[in-house]
Amino acid sequence: MVRLWLALRRARGWGALAGLRARPDKFGGVSVDLAELRRPLRLERAAFGRWLRGKCRAGAPGAAGRADAVARWREEGRVAIWLRIPILQSRFVAAAASQGFAFHHAEQGSSTLTLWLGEGPSRLPGYATHQLGVAGAVLDENTGKVLVIQDRNKTLNAWKFPGGLSNPGEDIGDTAVREVFEETGIKSEFKSILSIRQQHRHPGAFGKSDMYIICRLEPSSFNISFCQQECLRCEWMDLDELARTKHATPITSNVAKLLLYGYREGFDKIDITMREFPAVYTGLFYKLYHRELPESYRNFT
Amino acid sequence: MVRLWLALRRARGWGALAGLRARPDKFGGVSVDLAELRRPLRLERAAFGRWLRGKCRAGAPGAAGRADAVARWREEGRVAIWLRIPILQSRFVAAAASQGFAFHHAEQGSSTLTLWLGEGPSRLPGYATHQLGVAGAVLDENTGKVLVIQDRNKTLNAWKFPGGLSNPGEDIGDTAVREVFEETGIKSEFKSILSIRQQHRHPGAFGKSDMYIICRLEPSSFNISFCQQECLRCEWMDLDELARTKHATPITSNVAKLLLYGYREGFDKIDITMREFPAVYTGLFYKLYHRELPESYRNFT
């Protein structure tokens, strides 16, 4: 009876692990993806815990489902284990946590846990540390007026440039142009980066860091139709006045002065310009932002 | 017997939810933190699922543990639910996922799930989208030589500037100085930002975006003692030669030309300089990077 029970238990437990592969990576770690379980419902939480703990004996050779998991990887000199768990199989998360695993990250339908086996503190790369906010300073060169808004949800009604968080995969200039249009109805074109700010432990970024970039944009439409949900006010303001007013956030005030300097003495004095380069991986391009480089130096050989 | 069983079940289920608070936020959402469960082990996974689904009837008024959870919040006009779950209570994750919740993020000992209840697509802010890498171009002005390395783990042995990923909470210049020291043994001081690059769907960033900043650093020590684990080679190379060689990554080559331009014609031609400003929140400072702004404009009133 006990033997039958054990056999059943094994069938419902480690047998379900048979399809699972442990994939070594080039940094000395190993990855296991529970999305590869053929019959996840047949794997009991406790059986998974025992498999990790390395106290079971069954399993197919070569499969991750063999006998001793963590202990065996440690003996093999693996420095880390990466464990990806589909959200609906999250019952295995606590079992892994009991063995020392912790969340590395999670997104939508799955989480990834890690366990460092190497010497000293973990040298595993962390997950994304920054959110990116981008604002657009849209200057109408014909009138010397710049597009400014006041946020609806802020107690302090200070003038600022329209902007918002970058979407995943979105380029800096595209975020600026999109956010300006969504908030004010003004169409514009990216010209340059004006300033970069970094802030840490940002409450609006779930304690992560915030990178905030202000771009110089050139308007191609002029009739304001601003988003009532986000903005309290929106107008074309004299750049002089924005550079002078106390009713602006410090960063807005500072960038207004910078923009005024460029407007009066040439944008080449303030711009951080963009160039596109082919990436090392075929077919991709990347944008590099820096000070203007004379042709003679670009072609230096 | 059935009634006793039901009563026991209720005691082990919804009773355990009594201590739980639902905290409204200023954006119209509501947050529940399962770390506040007084007796998490007494809450069954299925009971939690039923509570979310809103098919139970018991519960204390005012507590999140009252009768109808999701449906009730929806009726109240809440636009979103944030659910924080400690890693050891991850058995509740799948129950939430069955009700439409998905991971927003997870880190170390807990995960956060969200469910959008508002109209249209979710307007909830995403989690961090970028990792930040920072490299240092350390130029010895007396010799015209710049510090370069070759990575050990890359197949292509091209010269590049030493650098690495920013730690959480670390300022740009501090990352550059730390990484240069760790990789080469050279001590240096931050002078300016030279370039910014953004790349998306980065394999080394778990599919997130990568922001890569190169800083200009001034050396304060000159004897190389490089990290054998990370670097294959490390040397002081003539800046002319680095700007000219084909054995460098495209971005290194381009920044070398920029640095050469600055070295020959003045760093004021290439620098993106840093200024510190008081943040809106008392006691904090932030660093703003932009082109040099003349005193007359800084004090513009």
Side-chain angles (χ1 to χ4, degrees):
Chain A
M1 182 63 186
V2 168
R3 290 182 67 168
L4 174 64
W5 177 82
L6 273 174
L8 274 171
R9 184 159 184 159
R10 194 164 292 161
R12 296 194 57 194
W14 314 317
L17 286 157
L20 215 55
R21 295 281 139 191
R23 294 189 165 76
D25 62 45
K26 63 176 177 173
F27 304 104
V30 68
S31 291
V32 175
D33 187 348
L34 295 194
E36 294 176 357
L37 282 175
R38 287 190 210 126
R39 294 169 181 155
L41 291 176
R42 292 191 61 180
L43 178 62
E44 286 177 354
R45 193 167 32 150
F48 177 74
R50 283 193 301 277
W51 170 73
L52 273 186
R53 238 190 352 258
K55 287 191 180 163
C56 49
R57 272 160 290 161
R66 67 190 185 183
D68 37 15
V70 175
R72 186 167 294 205
W73 286 322
R74 199 188 293 270
E75 282 163 24
E76 285 173 13
R78 295 282 163 206
V79 296
I81 307 168
W82 296 82
L83 188 59
R84 185 172 168 274
I85 302 181
I87 193 167
L88 290 173
Q89 268 79 65
S90 292
R91 65 188 184 282
F92 302 126
V93 170
S98 313
Q99 305 302 314
F101 281 80
F103 281 121
H104 183 270
H105 66 275
E107 197 174 18
Q108 293 297 325
S110 73
S111 63
T112 298
L113 290 86
T114 52
L115 177 63
W116 176 251
L117 301 176
E119 280 177 31
S122 166
R123 290 194 304 274
L124 293 178
Y127 194 59
T129 48
H130 286 70
Q131 70 177 18
L132 175 64
V134 187
V138 190
L139 177 67
D140 181 351
E141 289 184 57
N142 294 317
T143 61
K145 285 177 189 286
V146 67
L147 186 65
V148 285
I149 62 158
Q150 287 188 0
D151 273 343
R152 179 165 288 280
N153 289 317
K154 296 285 161 65
T155 40
L156 179 73
N157 285 322
W159 292 108
K160 49 171 275 192
F161 301 115
L165 288 181
S166 208
N167 288 333
E170 192 176 45
D171 278 351
I172 293 164
D174 296 337
T175 304
V177 167
R178 174 182 59 74
E179 284 284 345
V180 164
F181 181 73
E182 286 176 7
E183 294 190 351
T184 70
I186 297 296
K187 291 177 189 165
S188 64
E189 191 190 327
F190 173 82
K191 302 310 282 183
S192 70
I193 285 178
L194 293 176
S195 69
I196 301 133
R197 185 205 60 188
Q198 186 187 31
Q199 272 187 331
H200 303 299
R201 290 168 292 280
H202 201 266
F206 307 93
K208 292 284 169 185
S209 296
D210 176 82
M211 190 83 86
Y212 177 66
I213 293 181
I214 301 179
C215 300
R216 182 167 75 81
L217 306 181
E218 199 173 272
S220 57
S221 82
F222 303 88
N223 289 325
I224 290 172
S225 160
F226 70 92
C227 172
Q228 308 278 342
Q229 274 189 320
E230 293 189 69
C231 307
L232 191 67
R233 299 167 71 185
C234 173
E235 59 185 64
W236 289 103
M237 182 184 281
D238 274 327
L239 181 53
D240 274 51
E241 191 187 332
L242 183 65
R244 201 179 276 126
T245 183
K246 296 207 186 315
H247 301 290
T249 64
I251 193 168
T252 305
S253 181
N254 193 66
V255 171
K257 287 166 186 165
L258 188 72
L259 193 57
L260 185 67
Y261 172 46
Y263 181 54
R264 290 185 176 173
E265 308 195 19
F267 293 126
D268 61 309
K269 300 232 185 267
I270 62 166
D271 283 345
I272 301 165
T273 50
M274 185 268 283
R275 287 170 67 196
E276 273 194 296
F277 284 88
V280 175
Y281 309 100
T282 325
L284 295 174
F285 282 79
Y286 65 82
K287 290 174 173 139
L288 186 66
Y289 305 84
H290 57 70
R291 298 278 301 272
E292 200 64 32
L293 184 64
E295 276 298 310
S296 56
Y297 283 91
R298 287 190 195 196
N299 305 323
F300 182 82
T301 48
Chain B
M1 181 63 185
V2 168
R3 291 183 63 170
L4 175 63
W5 177 82
L6 274 174
L8 274 171
R9 182 157 186 160
R10 193 165 295 161
R12 295 193 60 194
W14 313 316
L17 286 157
L20 215 56
R21 296 281 141 191
R23 295 191 163 75
D25 62 46
K26 62 176 177 174
F27 304 105
V30 67
S31 291
V32 176
D33 187 346
L34 295 194
E36 293 176 358
L37 282 174
R38 286 190 211 125
R39 293 168 182 159
L41 292 176
R42 292 192 60 180
L43 179 61
E44 285 176 357
R45 191 166 31 148
F48 177 73
R50 283 194 301 277
W51 169 73
L52 274 185
R53 237 186 359 255
K55 287 191 180 163
C56 49
R57 275 162 287 164
R66 68 191 183 182
D68 37 15
V70 176
R72 186 167 291 205
W73 287 321
R74 199 188 294 271
E75 282 163 26
E76 284 174 10
R78 296 281 163 206
V79 296
I81 307 169
W82 297 82
L83 188 59
R84 185 172 168 272
I85 301 182
I87 194 168
L88 290 173
Q89 267 80 65
S90 292
R91 64 189 184 281
F92 301 125
V93 170
S98 313
Q99 305 302 314
F101 282 81
F103 281 121
H104 182 272
H105 68 274
E107 197 175 18
Q108 293 295 326
S110 73
S111 64
T112 297
L113 291 87
T114 52
L115 177 64
W116 176 250
L117 301 177
E119 279 176 34
S122 165
R123 290 194 304 273
L124 293 178
Y127 195 59
T129 49
H130 286 70
Q131 69 177 19
L132 175 64
V134 186
V138 189
L139 177 66
D140 181 351
E141 288 184 58
N142 293 317
T143 61
K145 286 177 188 286
V146 66
L147 187 65
V148 285
I149 61 158
Q150 287 187 0
D151 272 345
R152 180 166 286 281
N153 290 318
K154 297 284 160 66
T155 41
L156 178 73
N157 285 320
W159 291 108
K160 49 171 276 196
F161 301 115
L165 288 180
S166 209
N167 288 332
E170 190 177 46
D171 278 350
I172 293 164
D174 295 337
T175 304
V177 167
R178 174 181 59 75
E179 284 284 345
V180 164
F181 181 72
E182 286 175 7
E183 294 190 353
T184 70
I186 297 296
K187 290 178 188 163
S188 64
E189 191 190 328
F190 173 81
K191 302 309 285 182
S192 70
I193 285 178
L194 293 176
S195 71
I196 299 131
R197 185 205 62 188
Q198 186 188 33
Q199 272 187 331
H200 303 299
R201 290 168 292 280
H202 201 266
F206 308 93
K208 292 287 170 180
S209 296
D210 176 82
M211 190 83 84
Y212 177 64
I213 293 180
I214 301 180
C215 300
R216 183 169 73 81
L217 306 182
E218 198 173 273
S220 57
S221 81
F222 302 88
N223 289 324
I224 290 171
S225 159
F226 70 92
C227 172
Q228 308 278 341
Q229 274 189 321
E230 293 190 68
C231 307
L232 192 65
R233 298 168 71 186
C234 175
E235 59 185 65
W236 289 103
M237 182 185 282
D238 273 329
L239 180 54
D240 274 50
E241 191 187 331
L242 183 64
R244 200 180 276 125
T245 183
K246 297 207 185 313
H247 302 290
T249 63
I251 193 169
T252 305
S253 181
N254 193 68
V255 171
K257 285 165 186 163
L258 188 72
L259 193 56
L260 184 67
Y261 172 45
Y263 180 53
R264 289 185 177 172
E265 308 195 19
F267 292 124
D268 61 309
K269 300 234 184 267
I270 62 167
D271 283 345
I272 301 165
T273 49
M274 185 269 284
R275 287 170 66 197
E276 274 195 294
F277 283 89
V280 175
Y281 308 100
T282 325
L284 294 174
F285 282 79
Y286 65 81
K287 290 171 173 142
L288 186 66
Y289 305 84
H290 57 70
R291 299 277 301 271
E292 201 63 34
L293 184 63
E295 276 298 314
S296 55
Y297 283 91
R298 287 190 194 195
N299 305 323
F300 183 83
T301 45

